[in-house]
Amino acid sequence: MNRVCEILGITKPVIQAPMAWITSPELAAAVSNAGGLGVLGTSAGSEEIKRGPEETVEDMRLAVRKTRELTDKPFGVNVFPSVIDPYGFSKAIIEMLKEENVKILVVAGAIAPEEFRAWKADGFTLIVREMNPTVRGAIEAEKAGADIIVATGCDEGGCMPSLTSGTTAVTALLSEYVNIPVLAAGGIVNEKMALAAKVAGAEDVFVGTRFILSKECRAADATKADIMATHPDDYIVFTQMDGNARWRTTPHKHGIEGLEANKRGDLNPPSGSFFYGMLKGDPDAGVNTVANVTSLIKSIDSCEDIVSELARPFEEG
């Protein structure tokens, strides 16, 4: 039994990354039913933009309940430490998860030892992803009770680290310095890349982009078509969050303007809306953000087929 599978109660060593807006109960349940771990990201399943914590929490409660209707397998929910959650959304969502008996948290952003210890005391299993992964951060998270560490390289889609280490380098480093399992994140789009992650020291993979291009992902067909049509040399990478993060995107308005803003010294240009962009399909409304090897994906497949392919290197010994 793979250690990650044992900790999470799953049968395939594949975790679906929590992607804002474009995850849903249907996607998470499909991954979990395939043997991996499905994860609900922020606004998962929501059909409109909510304005406050109370509405957001109740929408997530409905998503949790719908996921449970679709699978009897484990699934997780994305949350954030309070230092990057100023409006208290995650604090309220964690209270809701206690009520709904969801036990797996995918914690993104900062290392927060006091909160980690409190969540462990409440019975949660913690998958921890530091925005800019460091050896010191991984060690600190392990000491605070983290069960699994995510090693995110600059190969990833989504909110990329500002550090420039690739997935294999970060995975090798973190797995050398902690005793708990490490997941590789960034560019894991096929069996070959999953094998590379395993060789580097990963015990499992943490996958976003490949699941965008799945049949069950609710991203707009226009979004999927735009991603599939983009040449690998045409991605745009621009810096945001005052230099603490970056976006890689297909070449449209926010990417083009963001890169120009960076050249002028602006390290916090707007990235637009995931709701109107990736979910609704207007490429100029946001960033269609993907891994740097997305062109290796040749088809839109079922979550079952994707999970089976990515798990294969870890099952072959």
Side-chain angles (χ1 to χ4, degrees):
M1 174 69 79
N2 173 283
R3 283 202 298 171
V4 175
C5 291
E6 189 171 6
I7 290 167
L8 299 176
I10 60 178
T11 58
K12 300 278 187 181
V14 178
I15 282 88
Q16 166 244 310
M19 298 169 285
W21 283 107
I22 59 173
T23 53
S24 66
E26 290 76 13
L27 176 64
V31 174
S32 291
N33 285 333
L37 183 78
V39 181
L40 297 173
T42 55
S43 302
S46 295
E47 295 298 337
E48 59 184 22
I49 297 173
K50 298 298 190 287
R51 297 300 179 187
E54 186 173 335
E55 285 186 339
T56 299
V57 169
E58 289 313 305
D59 249 23
M60 286 299 293
R61 188 189 302 275
L62 292 175
V64 164
R65 291 179 177 178
K66 177 66 174 177
T67 305
R68 190 161 276 138
E69 290 175 4
L70 297 171
T71 185
D72 60 356
K73 305 296 192 298
F75 62 93
V77 175
N78 188 203
V79 297
F80 304 90
S82 57
V83 67
I84 57 172
D85 182 36
Y87 300 107
F89 288 87
S90 281
K91 183 177 180 181
I93 284 172
I94 288 168
E95 292 304 311
M96 177 272 290
L97 296 177
K98 293 178 188 177
E99 297 167 3
E100 297 295 329
N101 198 34
V102 175
K103 293 298 186 182
I104 299 173
L105 302 182
V106 177
V107 186
I111 303 300
E114 290 186 12
E115 288 176 282
F116 292 178
R117 283 189 282 267
W119 295 337
K120 287 298 298 179
D122 287 331
F124 287 109
T125 297
L126 305 184
I127 303 171
V128 174
R129 175 183 177 257
E130 190 176 14
M131 180 180 291
N132 284 286
T134 62
V135 169
R136 290 188 180 94
I139 292 171
E140 189 176 14
E142 180 180 27
K143 288 179 179 177
D147 297 278
I148 298 167
I149 296 292
V150 181
T152 307
C154 63
D155 311 274
E156 73 152 352
C159 188
M160 295 163 54
S162 61
L163 301 175
T164 55
S165 295
T167 299
T168 53
V170 172
T171 300
L173 279 170
L174 269 55
S175 62
E176 179 75 15
Y177 282 89
V178 297
N179 296 309
I180 57 178
V182 169
L183 313 180
I188 314 297
V189 298
N190 59 20
E191 184 177 352
K192 181 190 294 185
M193 302 306 287
L195 177 59
K198 178 185 176 183
V199 171
E203 296 185 43
D204 201 330
V205 288
F206 189 85
V207 180
T209 296
R210 187 63 187 93
F211 286 116
I212 298 174
L213 298 175
S214 69
K215 293 177 179 178
E216 294 88 347
C217 181
R218 69 179 190 141
D221 288 343
T223 297
K224 295 179 183 181
D226 176 59
I227 292 169
M228 293 286 285
T230 299
H231 189 277
D233 295 342
D234 292 339
Y235 298 129
I236 292 173
V237 176
F238 68 99
T239 298
Q240 208 205 27
M241 299 183 188
D242 296 321
N244 291 313
R246 298 177 298 159
W247 295 101
R248 177 186 299 103
T249 178
T250 57
H252 299 289
K253 175 181 167 61
H254 283 284
I256 295 166
E257 293 182 355
L259 190 57
E260 289 303 314
N262 287 171
K263 292 176 182 177
R264 297 191 303 269
D266 179 0
L267 298 182
N268 197 29
S271 55
S273 165
F274 278 101
F275 176 80
Y276 292 109
M278 296 192 82
L279 180 61
K280 295 301 183 181
D282 180 355
D284 286 327
V287 288
N288 284 348
T289 176
V290 292
N292 60 359
V293 290
T294 302
S295 60
L296 297 177
I297 302 171
K298 303 303 182 183
S299 58
I300 296 173
D301 301 301
S302 70
C303 287
E304 183 176 9
D305 287 343
I306 293 168
V307 169
S308 293
E309 178 185 1
L310 299 181
R312 203 169 293 131
F314 298 91
E315 297 173 327
E316 292 178 346

